[in-house]
Amino acid sequence: MYAYDHSGEYGRPGWIVPLGRRDSRGASVQGSNNDIPAPNNTLPTIITKFKLQGLDIVDLVALLGSHTIGDSRCTSFRQRLYNQTGNGLPDFTLDASYAAALRPRCPRSGGDQNLFFLDPVTPFRFDNQYYKNLLAHRGLLSSDEVLLTGGNPATAELVELYAADQDIFFAHFARSMVKMGNISPLTGGNGEVRTNCRRVNHNY
């Protein structure tokens, strides 16, 4: 059985969601944080974390495109503004004017919980602006910008492709969302199949 995500009707990617997956009856923040990339992870580390979940380079770059919406705390990217490599200097891959705009609300100390748009250009729209930001060296998190600057030609080429063609990004994102939804499903009598799944509307 399948359910369709109709968000594609509004210019955002839509996909067929397989039903019947057995999900855990509980949740673990620690368990989740162990498996997802940290804001300051290197590109090889991020690639490895995705690979361990059965996700490839295309999945990695496409799924990180979800950062076209959402926020990040100052504490998650402060090191890029002041001490990226431990020498007291800002991250040279971060656009200087963008860094200057971030510093007033993300000082060297304090303001840890201040929130910043991951995509300051179109923060409420699901589009391919995230990749255009990376090309302009305006990725907020180090783990975003390394897709372009981390020394891997494959990820850099995908950033350029998605920045140039939103339809391809949407198609790859939808496919990777289905693939991610099939990671390590529970079997037998473990977990539960949820029969009451309400659709949540988001104002992108």
Side-chain angles (χ1 to χ4, degrees):
M1 297 180 64
Y2 298 88
Y4 185 72
D5 183 331
H6 294 281
S7 57
E9 296 175 358
Y10 306 101
R12 302 187 301 275
W15 57 91
I16 295 175
V17 180
L19 303 181
R21 176 189 171 98
R22 304 192 69 85
D23 289 316
S24 172
R25 294 186 175 90
S28 169
V29 173
Q30 180 179 359
S32 297
N33 287 339
N34 287 338
D35 293 331
I36 63 175
N40 60 348
N41 276 165
T42 64
L43 183 55
T45 297
I46 298 170
I47 290 173
T48 297
K49 287 186 174 181
F50 271 72
K51 186 176 181 179
L52 289 172
Q53 303 302 324
L55 301 174
D56 59 27
I57 292 288
V58 174
D59 300 318
L60 162 62
V61 182
L63 290 172
L64 281 181
S66 62
H67 286 182
T68 186
I69 56 173
D71 307 293
S72 180
R73 297 177 299 160
C74 163
T75 187
S76 295
F77 62 87
R78 174 184 282 121
Q79 84 284 348
R80 298 194 72 202
L81 302 178
Y82 304 103
N83 191 30
Q84 176 69 1
T85 59
N87 61 0
L89 297 177
D91 186 350
F92 72 92
T93 70
L94 181 64
D95 176 77
S97 62
Y98 183 41
L102 295 170
R103 287 191 185 100
R105 293 186 56 242
C106 190
R108 288 181 182 272
S109 63
D112 289 4
Q113 304 305 315
N114 289 347
L115 293 175
F116 296 77
F117 292 127
L118 288 164
D119 169 15
V121 181
T122 56
F124 303 111
R125 185 183 308 156
F126 198 105
D127 55 20
N128 67 337
Q129 182 62 46
Y130 166 82
Y131 301 102
K132 297 177 182 179
N133 295 341
L134 298 186
L135 292 177
H137 298 287
R138 288 176 169 245
L140 184 62
L141 304 179
S142 178
S143 56
D144 290 325
E145 195 62 47
V146 293
L147 295 180
L148 180 69
T149 63
N152 188 307
T155 63
E157 288 172 8
L158 285 166
V159 168
E160 294 173 356
L161 174 64
Y162 296 159
D165 195 322
Q166 182 168 271
D167 289 339
I168 292 179
F169 162 51
F170 281 4
H172 288 187
F173 181 84
R175 185 179 64 193
S176 294
M177 282 293 292
V178 174
K179 191 173 176 181
M180 184 172 64
N182 289 325
I183 293 174
S184 303
L186 299 176
T187 59
N190 296 319
E192 64 180 349
V193 177
R194 295 175 185 168
T195 58
N196 182 17
C197 298
R198 295 182 300 166
R199 178 180 175 182
V200 178
N201 291 318
H202 298 278
N203 294 319
Y204 294 148

Coordinates of all heavy atoms in Angstrom, one line a residue, residues 20-102:
G20 N 2.9 0.6 5.8 CA 3.1 -0.7 6.5 C 4.4 -0.9 7.2 O 4.7 -1.9 7.7
R21 N 5.2 0.2 7.3 CA 6.5 0.1 8.0 C 6.3 0.0 9.5 O 5.4 0.6 10.0 CB 7.3 1.3 7.7 CG 8.6 1.4 8.5 CD 9.4 2.7 8.3 NE 10.5 2.8 9.2 CZ 11.7 2.6 8.9 NH1 12.1 2.2 7.7 NH2 12.7 2.7 9.8
R22 N 7.0 -0.9 10.1 CA 7.0 -1.1 11.5 C 7.9 -0.1 12.2 O 9.1 -0.1 11.9 CB 7.3 -2.5 12.0 CG 6.4 -3.6 11.3 CD 6.6 -4.9 12.0 NE 6.1 -4.9 13.3 CZ 4.8 -5.2 13.7 NH1 4.0 -5.4 12.7 NH2 4.4 -5.2 14.9
D23 N 7.4 0.8 13.0 CA 8.2 1.8 13.6 C 8.3 1.6 15.1 O 7.5 0.9 15.8 CB 7.6 3.2 13.4 CG 7.7 3.7 12.0 OD1 8.8 3.5 11.4 OD2 6.7 4.2 11.4
S24 N 9.3 2.1 15.7 CA 9.6 2.0 17.2 C 8.5 2.6 17.9 O 7.9 3.6 17.5 CB 10.9 2.6 17.5 OG 11.1 2.6 18.9
R25 N 8.2 2.1 19.1 CA 7.2 2.7 20.0 C 7.8 3.8 20.9 O 7.1 4.5 21.6 CB 6.6 1.7 20.9 CG 5.7 0.6 20.2 CD 5.0 -0.3 21.2 NE 4.1 -1.2 20.5 CZ 4.5 -2.4 20.1 NH1 5.8 -2.8 20.2 NH2 3.6 -3.2 19.5
G26 N 9.1 4.0 20.8 CA 9.8 5.0 21.5 C 10.8 5.8 20.6 O 10.9 5.5 19.4
A27 N 11.5 6.8 21.2 CA 12.4 7.6 20.4 C 13.6 7.8 21.3 O 13.5 7.9 22.5 CB 11.8 8.9 20.0
S28 N 14.8 8.0 20.6 CA 16.0 8.2 21.4 C 16.8 9.3 20.7 O 17.2 9.2 19.6 CB 16.9 6.9 21.3 OG 18.2 7.2 21.8
V29 N 16.9 10.4 21.4 CA 17.7 11.6 20.9 C 19.1 11.2 20.7 O 19.7 11.5 19.7 CB 17.5 12.8 21.9 CG1 18.5 13.9 21.4 CG2 16.1 13.3 21.9
Q30 N 19.7 10.5 21.7 CA 21.1 10.1 21.6 C 21.3 9.2 20.5 O 22.3 9.3 19.7 CB 21.5 9.4 22.9 CG 23.0 9.0 22.9 CD 23.4 8.3 24.2 OE1 22.6 8.2 25.1 NE2 24.6 7.9 24.3
G31 N 20.4 8.2 20.3 CA 20.6 7.3 19.2 C 20.5 8.0 17.8 O 21.3 7.7 16.9
S32 N 19.6 9.0 17.7 CA 19.5 9.8 16.5 C 20.8 10.6 16.2 O 21.3 10.6 15.1 CB 18.3 10.7 16.5 OG 17.1 9.9 16.6
N33 N 21.3 11.2 17.3 CA 22.5 12.1 17.1 C 23.7 11.3 16.8 O 24.7 11.8 16.2 CB 22.7 12.9 18.4 CG 21.7 14.0 18.6 OD1 21.0 14.4 17.6 ND2 21.5 14.5 19.8
N34 N 23.7 10.0 17.2 CA 24.9 9.2 16.8 C 25.0 8.9 15.3 O 26.1 8.6 14.8 CB 24.8 7.9 17.6 CG 25.2 8.0 19.1 OD1 25.8 9.0 19.5 ND2 24.7 7.1 19.9
D35 N 23.9 8.9 14.7 CA 23.8 8.5 13.3 C 23.8 9.7 12.3 O 24.1 9.5 11.1 CB 22.6 7.6 13.0 CG 22.7 6.3 13.8 OD1 23.9 5.8 14.0 OD2 21.7 5.7 14.1
I36 N 23.4 10.9 12.7 CA 23.3 12.0 11.8 C 24.5 12.8 11.8 O 25.2 12.9 12.9 CB 22.0 12.8 12.0 CG1 22.1 13.5 13.4 CG2 20.8 12.0 11.9 CD1 21.0 14.4 13.7
P37 N 24.9 13.5 10.7 CA 26.1 14.3 10.7 C 26.0 15.5 11.7 O 25.0 16.0 11.9 CB 26.2 14.8 9.3 CG 25.4 13.9 8.5 CD 24.3 13.4 9.4
A38 N 27.1 15.8 12.3 CA 27.3 17.0 13.2 C 27.6 18.2 12.3 O 28.2 18.0 11.2 CB 28.3 16.7 14.2
P39 N 27.3 19.4 12.8 CA 27.5 20.6 12.0 C 28.9 20.8 11.6 O 29.2 21.5 10.6 CB 27.0 21.7 12.9 CG 26.0 21.1 13.8 CD 26.6 19.7 14.1
N40 N 29.9 20.2 12.3 CA 31.3 20.5 12.0 C 32.0 19.2 11.5 O 33.2 19.2 11.4 CB 32.0 21.0 13.2 CG 32.0 20.0 14.4 OD1 31.2 19.1 14.4 ND2 32.8 20.3 15.4
N41 N 31.2 18.2 11.1 CA 31.9 17.0 10.6 C 32.5 17.3 9.2 O 32.1 18.1 8.4 CB 30.8 15.9 10.3 CG 30.5 15.1 11.6 OD1 29.5 14.4 11.6 ND2 31.3 15.2 12.6
T42 N 33.6 16.5 9.0 CA 34.3 16.6 7.7 C 33.4 15.9 6.6 O 32.6 15.0 7.0 CB 35.7 16.0 7.7 OG1 35.5 14.6 8.0 CG2 36.5 16.6 8.8
L43 N 33.7 16.1 5.4 CA 32.9 15.5 4.3 C 33.1 14.0 4.3 O 32.1 13.2 4.2 CB 33.3 16.1 2.9 CG 32.5 15.5 1.8 CD1 31.0 15.6 2.0 CD2 32.9 16.2 0.5
P44 N 34.4 13.4 4.5 CA 34.5 12.0 4.6 C 33.7 11.3 5.7 O 33.1 10.3 5.5 CB 36.0 11.8 4.8 CG 36.6 13.0 4.2 CD 35.7 14.1 4.5
T45 N 33.6 12.0 6.8 CA 32.8 11.5 8.0 C 31.3 11.5 7.6 O 30.6 10.5 7.9 CB 33.0 12.4 9.2 OG1 34.4 12.3 9.6 CG2 32.1 11.9 10.4
I46 N 30.9 12.5 7.0 CA 29.4 12.6 6.6 C 29.1 11.5 5.6 O 28.1 10.8 5.7 CB 29.1 14.0 6.0 CG1 29.3 15.1 7.0 CG2 27.7 14.1 5.5 CD1 29.3 16.5 6.5
I47 N 30.0 11.3 4.6 CA 29.8 10.3 3.6 C 29.7 8.9 4.3 O 28.9 8.1 3.9 CB 30.9 10.3 2.5 CG1 30.8 11.6 1.7 CG2 30.9 9.1 1.7 CD1 31.9 11.8 0.7
T48 N 30.6 8.7 5.2 CA 30.6 7.4 5.9 C 29.3 7.2 6.7 O 28.8 6.1 6.7 CB 31.8 7.3 6.9 OG1 33.0 7.4 6.1 CG2 31.8 6.0 7.7
K49 N 28.8 8.2 7.4 CA 27.6 8.1 8.2 C 26.4 7.8 7.2 O 25.6 7.0 7.6 CB 27.3 9.4 8.9 CG 28.3 9.6 10.1 CD 27.9 10.8 11.0 CE 28.8 10.8 12.2 NZ 28.4 12.0 13.1
F50 N 26.4 8.4 6.1 CA 25.3 8.1 5.1 C 25.5 6.6 4.6 O 24.5 5.9 4.5 CB 25.3 9.1 4.0 CG 24.4 10.3 4.3 CD1 24.8 11.2 5.2 CD2 23.2 10.5 3.6 CE1 24.0 12.4 5.5 CE2 22.4 11.6 3.9 CZ 22.8 12.5 4.8
K51 N 26.7 6.3 4.3 CA 26.9 5.0 3.7 C 26.5 3.9 4.7 O 26.0 2.8 4.2 CB 28.4 4.8 3.3 CG 28.8 3.6 2.6 CD 30.3 3.5 2.2 CE 30.6 2.3 1.4 NZ 32.0 2.2 1.0
L52 N 26.8 4.1 6.0 CA 26.4 3.1 7.0 C 24.9 2.8 7.0 O 24.4 1.8 7.5 CB 26.9 3.5 8.3 CG 28.4 3.4 8.5 CD1 28.8 4.0 9.9 CD2 28.9 2.0 8.5
Q53 N 24.1 3.8 6.5 CA 22.7 3.7 6.4 C 22.2 3.2 5.1 O 21.0 3.2 4.8 CB 22.0 5.0 6.8 CG 22.4 5.5 8.2 CD 22.1 4.6 9.3 OE1 21.0 3.9 9.3 NE2 22.9 4.6 10.3
G54 N 23.1 2.9 4.2 CA 22.8 2.4 2.8 C 22.5 3.6 1.9 O 21.9 3.3 0.8
L55 N 23.0 4.8 2.2 CA 22.7 5.9 1.4 C 24.0 6.4 0.7 O 25.1 6.4 1.2 CB 22.2 7.1 2.2 CG 20.9 6.8 3.0 CD1 20.5 8.0 3.9 CD2 19.7 6.5 2.0
D56 N 23.8 6.7 -0.6 CA 25.0 7.0 -1.4 C 25.2 8.5 -1.5 O 24.6 9.3 -0.9 CB 24.9 6.4 -2.8 CG 23.7 6.8 -3.6 OD1 23.2 7.9 -3.4 OD2 23.2 6.0 -4.4
I57 N 26.2 8.9 -2.4 CA 26.5 10.3 -2.6 C 25.4 11.2 -3.1 O 25.1 12.3 -2.6 CB 27.7 10.5 -3.6 CG1 29.0 9.9 -3.0 CG2 27.9 11.9 -4.0 CD1 29.6 10.7 -1.9
V58 N 24.6 10.6 -4.0 CA 23.4 11.4 -4.5 C 22.4 11.6 -3.4 O 21.9 12.7 -3.2 CB 22.8 10.6 -5.7 CG1 21.5 11.3 -6.1 CG2 23.7 10.6 -6.9
D59 N 22.2 10.5 -2.6 CA 21.3 10.7 -1.4 C 21.8 11.7 -0.5 O 21.0 12.6 0.0 CB 21.1 9.3 -0.7 CG 20.6 8.2 -1.5 OD1 19.7 8.4 -2.3 OD2 21.1 7.1 -1.4
L60 N 23.0 11.7 -0.2 CA 23.6 12.7 0.7 C 23.4 14.1 0.3 O 22.9 14.9 1.0 CB 25.1 12.4 0.8 CG 26.0 13.5 1.4 CD1 25.7 13.8 2.8 CD2 27.5 13.1 1.3
V61 N 23.8 14.4 -1.0 CA 23.7 15.8 -1.4 C 22.2 16.2 -1.6 O 21.8 17.4 -1.3 CB 24.4 16.0 -2.7 CG1 24.4 17.5 -3.2 CG2 25.9 15.6 -2.6
A62 N 21.4 15.3 -2.1 CA 20.0 15.6 -2.3 C 19.3 15.9 -0.9 O 18.5 16.8 -0.7 CB 19.3 14.5 -3.0
L63 N 19.5 15.0 0.0 CA 18.8 15.1 1.3 C 19.2 16.3 2.1 O 18.4 16.9 2.9 CB 19.0 13.8 2.1 CG 18.2 12.6 1.6 CD1 18.6 11.3 2.3 CD2 16.7 12.8 1.6
L64 N 20.5 16.7 2.0 CA 20.9 17.9 2.7 C 20.3 19.1 2.1 O 20.3 20.2 2.8 CB 22.5 18.0 2.6 CG 23.2 17.1 3.7 CD1 24.7 17.4 3.6 CD2 22.8 17.4 5.1
G65 N 19.7 19.0 0.9 CA 18.9 20.1 0.4 C 17.7 20.4 1.2 O 17.1 21.5 1.0
S66 N 17.3 19.6 2.2 CA 16.2 19.9 3.1 C 16.6 21.1 3.9 O 15.7 21.7 4.5 CB 15.9 18.7 4.0 OG 17.0 18.4 4.8
H67 N 17.9 21.5 3.9 CA 18.3 22.7 4.7 C 17.9 24.0 3.9 O 18.3 25.1 4.3 CB 19.8 22.7 4.9 CG 20.2 21.7 6.0 ND1 21.5 21.6 6.4 CD2 19.5 20.9 6.7 CE1 21.6 20.6 7.3 NE2 20.4 20.2 7.5
T68 N 17.1 23.8 2.9 CA 16.5 25.0 2.2 C 15.5 25.6 3.1 O 15.1 26.8 2.9 CB 15.9 24.6 0.9 OG1 15.5 25.8 0.2 CG2 14.7 23.7 1.0
I69 N 15.1 24.9 4.2 CA 14.2 25.5 5.2 C 14.7 25.1 6.6 O 15.6 24.3 6.7 CB 12.7 24.9 5.1 CG1 12.7 23.4 5.1 CG2 12.0 25.4 3.8 CD1 11.4 22.8 5.2
G70 N 14.3 25.8 7.6 CA 14.7 25.5 8.9 C 15.7 26.5 9.5 O 16.1 27.4 8.8
D71 N 16.1 26.3 10.7 CA 17.0 27.2 11.5 C 18.1 26.4 12.1 O 18.1 25.2 12.2 CB 16.2 27.8 12.6 CG 15.0 28.5 12.2 OD1 15.1 29.5 11.5 OD2 13.9 28.1 12.6
S72 N 19.2 27.1 12.5 CA 20.3 26.6 13.2 C 20.7 27.5 14.3 O 20.6 28.8 14.2 CB 21.5 26.3 12.3 OG 22.6 25.8 13.0
R73 N 21.2 27.0 15.4 CA 21.6 27.8 16.6 C 23.0 28.3 16.3 O 23.8 27.7 15.7 CB 21.5 27.0 17.8 CG 20.1 26.5 18.3 CD 20.2 25.7 19.5 NE 21.0 24.5 19.3 CZ 21.6 23.8 20.2 NH1 21.5 24.1 21.5 NH2 22.3 22.7 19.9
C74 N 23.3 29.5 16.9 CA 24.6 30.1 16.8 C 25.7 29.1 17.3 O 26.7 29.0 16.6 CB 24.6 31.3 17.7 SG 26.2 31.9 18.2
T75 N 25.4 28.3 18.3 CA 26.4 27.4 18.8 C 26.8 26.3 17.8 O 27.9 25.8 17.9 CB 25.9 26.7 20.1 OG1 27.0 26.0 20.7 CG2 24.8 25.8 19.8
S76 N 26.0 26.1 16.8 CA 26.3 25.1 15.8 C 27.3 25.6 14.7 O 27.8 24.7 14.0 CB 25.0 24.6 15.1 OG 24.2 24.0 16.1
F77 N 27.4 26.9 14.6 CA 28.3 27.3 13.5 C 29.3 28.4 14.0 O 30.1 29.0 13.2 CB 27.5 27.9 12.3 CG 26.7 29.0 12.6 CD1 27.2 30.3 12.6 CD2 25.3 28.9 13.0 CE1 26.3 31.4 12.8 CE2 24.5 29.9 13.2 CZ 25.0 31.2 13.2
R78 N 29.3 28.7 15.3 CA 30.2 29.8 15.8 C 31.7 29.6 15.4 O 32.4 30.6 15.1 CB 30.1 29.9 17.3 CG 31.1 30.9 18.0 CD 31.0 30.9 19.5 NE 29.9 31.6 19.9 CZ 28.9 31.1 20.7 NH1 29.0 29.8 21.1 NH2 27.9 31.9 21.1
Q79 N 32.1 28.4 15.4 CA 33.6 28.2 15.1 C 33.9 28.7 13.7 O 35.1 29.1 13.5 CB 33.9 26.7 15.3 CG 33.6 25.8 14.1 CD 32.2 25.4 13.9 OE1 31.3 25.7 14.8 NE2 31.8 24.9 12.8
R80 N 33.0 28.7 12.8 CA 33.2 29.1 11.5 C 33.5 30.6 11.4 O 34.2 31.2 10.6 CB 32.1 28.8 10.5 CG 31.8 27.4 10.3 CD 30.9 27.2 9.2 NE 31.6 27.4 7.9 CZ 31.0 27.7 6.8 NH1 29.6 27.8 6.7 NH2 31.7 27.8 5.7
L81 N 33.0 31.4 12.4 CA 33.1 32.8 12.4 C 34.4 33.3 13.1 O 34.9 34.4 12.8 CB 31.9 33.4 13.2 CG 30.5 33.1 12.6 CD1 29.4 33.8 13.5 CD2 30.4 33.6 11.2
Y82 N 34.9 32.4 14.0 CA 36.0 32.9 14.8 C 37.2 32.0 14.9 O 38.4 32.4 15.1 CB 35.5 33.2 16.3 CG 34.4 34.1 16.3 CD1 33.1 33.7 16.5 CD2 34.6 35.5 16.2 CE1 32.0 34.5 16.6 CE2 33.5 36.4 16.2 CZ 32.2 35.9 16.4 OH 31.2 36.8 16.5
N83 N 37.0 30.6 14.8 CA 38.1 29.7 15.1 C 38.0 28.4 14.4 O 38.0 27.4 15.1 CB 38.2 29.6 16.6 CG 39.5 28.9 17.1 OD1 40.5 29.0 16.4 ND2 39.4 28.1 18.2
Q84 N 37.9 28.4 13.1 CA 37.5 27.2 12.4 C 38.5 26.1 12.5 O 38.1 24.9 12.7 CB 37.3 27.5 10.9 CG 37.0 26.3 10.0 CD 35.7 25.7 10.2 OE1 34.9 26.2 11.0 NE2 35.4 24.6 9.5
T85 N 39.8 26.4 12.5 CA 40.8 25.3 12.5 C 41.6 25.4 13.8 O 42.7 24.7 13.8 CB 41.7 25.4 11.3 OG1 42.4 26.7 11.3 CG2 41.0 25.2 10.0
G86 N 41.2 26.1 14.8 CA 41.9 26.2 16.0 C 43.0 27.2 16.1 O 43.7 27.3 17.0
N87 N 43.1 28.1 15.0 CA 44.1 29.1 15.0 C 43.6 30.5 15.2 O 44.3 31.5 15.0 CB 44.9 29.0 13.6 CG 44.0 29.3 12.4 OD1 42.8 29.5 12.6 ND2 44.5 29.3 11.3
G88 N 42.3 30.6 15.6 CA 41.7 31.9 15.9 C 41.2 32.6 14.7 O 40.8 33.8 14.8
L89 N 41.2 32.0 13.5 CA 40.8 32.6 12.3 C 39.5 32.1 11.8 O 39.2 30.9 12.0 CB 41.9 32.4 11.2 CG 43.2 33.0 11.5 CD1 44.2 32.7 10.3 CD2 43.1 34.5 11.7
P90 N 38.7 32.9 11.1 CA 37.4 32.4 10.6 C 37.6 31.4 9.5 O 38.7 31.3 8.9 CB 36.7 33.7 10.1 CG 37.8 34.6 9.8 CD 38.9 34.3 10.8
D91 N 36.5 30.7 9.1 CA 36.6 29.7 8.0 C 36.7 30.5 6.7 O 35.9 31.3 6.3 CB 35.3 29.0 8.0 CG 35.2 27.8 7.0 OD1 36.2 27.8 6.2 OD2 34.3 27.0 7.1
F92 N 37.8 30.2 6.0 CA 38.1 30.9 4.7 C 37.1 30.5 3.6 O 37.0 31.2 2.6 CB 39.5 30.6 4.2 CG 39.8 29.2 3.7 CD1 39.6 28.9 2.4 CD2 40.1 28.2 4.6 CE1 39.8 27.7 1.9 CE2 40.3 26.9 4.1 CZ 40.1 26.6 2.7
T93 N 36.3 29.4 3.8 CA 35.3 29.1 2.8 C 34.0 29.8 3.0 O 33.1 29.6 2.3 CB 35.1 27.6 2.8 OG1 34.4 27.2 4.0 CG2 36.4 26.8 2.7
L94 N 33.9 30.6 4.1 CA 32.7 31.3 4.4 C 32.8 32.8 3.8 O 33.8 33.5 4.1 CB 32.4 31.4 5.9 CG 31.2 32.1 6.4 CD1 29.9 31.4 5.9 CD2 31.2 32.1 7.9
D95 N 31.8 33.2 3.0 CA 31.8 34.5 2.4 C 32.0 35.6 3.5 O 31.3 35.5 4.6 CB 30.5 34.7 1.7 CG 30.4 36.1 1.1 OD1 31.1 36.5 0.1 OD2 29.7 37.0 1.8
A96 N 32.9 36.5 3.4 CA 33.3 37.4 4.4 C 32.1 38.4 4.8 O 31.9 38.6 6.0 CB 34.5 38.3 4.0
S97 N 31.4 38.8 3.8 CA 30.2 39.7 4.1 C 29.1 39.0 4.8 O 28.4 39.5 5.7 CB 29.7 40.3 2.8 OG 29.2 39.4 1.9
Y98 N 28.9 37.7 4.5 CA 27.9 36.9 5.2 C 28.3 36.7 6.6 O 27.5 36.8 7.5 CB 27.7 35.6 4.4 CG 26.7 34.6 5.0 CD1 25.5 35.1 5.4 CD2 26.9 33.3 5.0 CE1 24.5 34.3 5.9 CE2 25.9 32.4 5.5 CZ 24.7 32.9 6.0 OH 23.7 32.1 6.4
A99 N 29.6 36.4 6.8 CA 30.1 36.2 8.2 C 29.9 37.4 9.0 O 29.6 37.4 10.2 CB 31.6 35.8 8.1
A100 N 30.2 38.6 8.4 CA 30.1 39.9 9.1 C 28.6 40.1 9.5 O 28.3 40.6 10.6 CB 30.6 41.0 8.3
A101 N 27.7 39.7 8.7 CA 26.2 39.8 9.0 C 25.8 38.9 10.1 O 24.9 39.2 10.9 CB 25.4 39.6 7.8
L102 N 26.5 37.8 10.3 CA 26.1 36.8 11.3 C 26.7 37.1 12.7 O 26.1 36.8 13.7 CB 26.6 35.4 10.9 CG 26.0 34.8 9.7 CD1 26.8 33.5 9.3 CD2 24.6 34.4 9.9

